[in-house]
Every structure is written in C-alpha cells, then in structure tokens.
Amino acid sequence: MLTFLDFEKPVAQLQAQIAELRAANESVEGGEQIDIAEELAKLEAKSAEMLKSLYASLSPWQKTQVARHPQRPHFRNYVEHAFTDFMPLGGDRYFGEDEAILGGFATLRGRSVMLIGHEKGHDTQTRLRHNFGMGKPEGYRKAIRLMDLAGRFGLPVVTLVDTSGAFPGIEAEERGQAEAIARSTEACLALPVPMVATIVGEGGSGGAVALASAERVLMMEHAVYSVISPEGCASILWRTAEKAPDAAEAMKVTAQNLKELGVIDRIVPEPVGGAHRDPQSAIRNLADTIDDELGKLAGKDILQLQETRADRYLAIGA
C-alpha cells in the first residue's frame, strides 16, 4: 500500500474516493452493478493531473520528504533491477563489516563495474541491520578497499548515495570516523578509473561526499544533497527544528538548485509523483543514464580523470 506524504493529502483523499466507489459497486448483489467506468476514469484523470501539478512545484522541504520516502528504491532494489552478476564483498580488513555501506562487483549493460552504495533498509528489521544507511568507519574503509580493487582491475566505479549522514555515535568516533571519511574522499579523487556517483535519495554531509567525489555526479530529480539536514540547520540557526522548511529553502538542497550552482552535472528524471510510485521506471532511467556517462568517460587517461575531479571540486563556491 502506497504511503502518502502530508502535502499529498488532496491526492490521497481523491484516491480514497476512487477506492470507495469501486468497493461500493463491487458489493452490490444480484447483478445490479452499474457502469461506473466513465466516472472512475474522470476521477483518476483528475487525480493524475493533481499529482502532476503538485510535483511540478515542490518546495525544497517537500522534495526532502520525497527523498526520504520509505518506499523509495534503495541500493538493493537497484542491484536487483538494474545490475546483474552482483558479487558482494564485505569487511574492511581492519575492524569488521558495516551493512550500511554495501558493495561488490557487478555488471551494468554488459559493462563490469565496482558498485558501492548506502542501504537504508525497507522495514524495521532491515533498517536496524543497515543502521538506517548511516555508515561507520569500517563502512568507509571497506569502500576504500573496493575502490582500490577497482583501480587494480581497471573497473569503473559506480556509487549510489542515500544517507542522512555518517553515523555520529561515540563508537564511530572512537574508531576514527572523520579520518575514514576523509580517506574515502581522497580515494575517490585519486581513482585511476572512471567514477560516476548518483544521489538517489538523501545526500547528507561528509557521509555522502565520501562516496560522491566523482568526475560525474548525478542526482535523481527529487533527491536532496546538503552539508547538514534541514532540521539540523534549523536547530543551530533558530534553535528549533520547526524552521526546517526555511532552512531547506536557504541551503539550496534540490537537484535543480545544485545543477545551477555546478555542484552536480546531470538530473535524472523520475516518474510523476516520485520514484516510489514507479520504482521500475526510475531504476531503468538511472541505469540508462549511468551507462551513458560511463560510455563518455571510457578511454580517458588517468591524469585527465583525476584533474577533472579536482577541478570540479575546487571550482565549487569560487
């Protein structure tokens, strides 16, 4: 069952009317059902138009809510429907395994790649197992290990970023969270192979940058990317999380804002109503776009790739 967001209430009410009308007609006994196809078609057309209009003018805060939607495609969904021959690789060879950041060898459109990304989980049990997509130091050190493997085997690196930020717990700090994030960012910038990163949901803080310092950075249409969450920013500036919508507006967190600022390179379209309404279509769009970008990067020499990454990040904010 689809979960509706707060700002989608008018659409939810219309969908409820459609469901009630169908149920009422189906419950009529003795073959006395009436033809409601025309009325249903009108209501469904009105609902679709309302949804299209709503999503054409989303505020940054509303886009943040869409990016966090619990039914939005996550890493495992992309692996299942866009990549083949996925061979997961675990452990950082220092401390242990971190299931918030997953990775391994995979194939995209016949092209072998190293795939790395955040996994949030889809229900209470899996969210706890994957720590809500908040990576720990061992997760980022695993990512470094996989990037090193990709460099040795000459495989392009593809990352799918979806995290509210790196895990802020004491144990993560004790194991060197900041150093692990910094070294993961450094590993991205030094890669001797092409790298394409995509913000598929939330791109939060250094936890996102550590897997997104690529020469080509993509963003799903309704994803968000920021140095801090809107709630965190509001708590610092206004001492209340209720100002989160104002913070989201001021921080320019949307794909459209960031494309204009030169932080990202390309926006990947989503189905009307967001990726959670038609995951298959959203996943297919992203797979096609990543394949196109990898094709453009193929054949470029190591120095050119590394200079491209360095130049793009040095230019931000200049």
Side-chain angles (χ1 to χ4, degrees):
M1 183 177 177
L2 184 66
T3 301
F4 287 91
L5 299 168
D6 288 344
F7 66 86
E8 296 177 320
K9 282 182 180 178
V11 178
Q13 291 169 355
L14 200 51
Q15 286 292 321
Q17 289 177 21
I18 293 170
E20 287 173 9
L21 188 59
R22 279 205 180 100
N25 194 49
E26 289 171 359
S27 65
V28 175
E29 297 179 0
E32 297 179 4
Q33 291 184 344
I34 58 176
D35 186 4
I36 60 170
E38 186 177 347
E39 184 63 25
L40 280 174
K42 287 180 181 178
L43 287 173
E44 286 172 348
K46 182 179 178 181
S47 175
E49 187 58 38
M50 188 184 292
L51 189 68
K52 183 178 179 182
S53 175
L54 192 63
Y55 271 75
S57 56
L58 292 180
S59 70
W61 176 241
Q62 288 170 334
K63 280 186 178 284
T64 302
Q65 292 175 274
V66 177
R68 295 170 175 172
H69 197 285
Q71 291 161 306
R72 193 173 178 84
H74 293 152
F75 182 86
R76 290 194 180 278
N77 302 115
Y78 287 101
V79 168
E80 183 179 355
H81 298 292
F83 296 85
T84 57
D85 306 319
F86 180 62
M87 182 185 293
L89 300 171
D92 65 347
R93 303 299 186 267
Y94 289 95
F95 180 81
E97 168 66 332
D98 178 16
E99 292 199 63
I101 298 176
L102 304 179
F105 297 112
T107 304
L108 174 67
R109 304 285 195 273
R111 190 195 310 270
S112 295
V113 300
M114 179 63 78
L115 179 64
I116 307 170
H118 299 92
E119 172 59 50
K120 285 184 170 181
H122 61 274
D123 56 24
T124 302
Q125 184 178 0
T126 56
R127 284 173 192 145
L128 289 171
R129 187 171 81 239
H130 295 291
N131 201 34
F132 300 88
M134 295 186 292
K136 297 177 181 177
E138 48 271 26
Y140 291 104
R141 292 184 177 120
K142 174 172 66 177
I144 295 168
R145 184 172 75 82
L146 300 191
M147 284 187 263
D148 181 54
L149 273 176
R152 283 195 243 167
F153 289 111
L155 299 177
V157 174
V158 174
T159 60
L160 305 178
V161 177
D162 189 11
T163 180
S164 58
F167 183 59
I170 293 175
E171 64 270 33
E173 296 298 333
E174 289 174 340
R175 295 198 293 273
Q177 182 72 289
E179 184 260 358
I181 290 171
R183 291 201 179 277
S184 182
T185 306
E186 180 185 43
C188 291
L189 294 172
L191 267 174
V193 291
M195 180 177 181
V196 176
T198 305
I199 315 300
V200 295
E202 283 186 279
S205 193
V209 174
L211 296 186
S213 299
E215 62 268 26
R216 297 295 291 175
V217 181
L218 319 177
M219 257 183 101
M220 298 298 286
E221 183 181 358
H222 300 307
V224 293
Y225 192 18
S226 59
V227 70
I228 189 174
S229 70
E231 298 94 327
C233 177
S235 296
I236 292 170
L237 294 181
W238 293 288
R239 306 298 182 192
T240 172
E242 292 179 4
K243 287 282 190 178
D246 296 325
E249 183 75 41
M251 289 196 298
K252 309 294 184 188
V253 299
T254 70
Q256 294 72 24
N257 292 147
L258 296 170
K259 176 71 169 64
E260 187 177 340
L261 292 169
V263 175
I264 67 165
D265 301 294
R266 188 168 172 179
I267 298 173
V268 182
E270 294 188 29
V272 175
H276 57 280
R277 279 193 164 78
D278 188 357
Q280 296 281 358
S281 177
I283 292 169
R284 187 167 55 250
N285 285 347
L286 180 57
D288 290 341
T289 307
I290 293 174
D291 185 52
D292 179 54
E293 293 294 344
L294 288 175
K296 293 175 182 176
L297 293 171
K300 291 194 175 184
D301 64 55
I302 296 172
L303 188 59
Q304 188 178 9
L305 292 171
Q306 293 170 338
E307 286 180 347
T308 299
R309 290 181 207 128
D311 291 343
R312 67 168 289 112
Y313 287 99
L314 289 172
I316 292 174

